[in-house]
Amino acid sequence: LSVIDFGDLRLNDPAYDFSFLGLYPAAFLSQIEHYYVLPIDENFKIRMRYHCLRFLLVNLSERYDRNGNIEHTWFFERLAKIV
């Protein structure tokens, strides 16, 4: 049994809840969308990518290696999945 909880919506935007899913394969996202019960508008995927990109940019500042260098590889691997 798997449960996906959309109960902690912060921006009153379903695309925000899906933003972390932008890092997963498109087939997985399609399955999740299929079972999502709230309406999804035509700009949903654009807003989802925006929130996902915003998340990546905010977290980039926390991605340092032991020498104090930013782990660019981590960021660009995930960025490539969204764009």
Side-chain angles (χ1 to χ4, degrees):
L1 174 66
S2 298
V3 176
I4 296 177
D5 178 18
F6 294 99
D8 64 344
L9 197 63
R10 294 184 195 164
L11 298 175
N12 198 22
D13 183 2
Y16 181 81
D17 283 340
F18 279 83
S19 64
F20 73 95
L21 295 173
L23 300 174
Y24 291 90
F28 178 72
L29 179 60
S30 294
Q31 289 179 346
I32 299 298
E33 287 176 355
H34 177 75
Y35 292 102
Y36 189 69
V37 296
L38 296 177
I40 295 176
D41 62 49
E42 72 256 5
N43 295 319
F44 175 82
K45 288 189 179 186
I46 293 170
R47 291 192 322 276
M48 183 191 78
R49 286 185 178 139
Y50 162 77
H51 292 304
C52 189
L53 181 58
R54 183 185 55 80
F55 169 78
L56 285 175
L57 290 172
V58 167
N59 287 293
L60 178 62
S61 64
E62 299 174 3
R63 290 292 179 174
Y64 289 92
D65 63 17
R66 293 180 185 162
N67 298 320
N69 300 313
I70 295 178
E71 296 178 14
H72 295 290
T73 305
W74 174 90
F75 173 75
F76 287 116
E77 285 174 355
R78 281 147 187 85
L79 181 62
K81 292 180 180 181
I82 316 172
V83 286

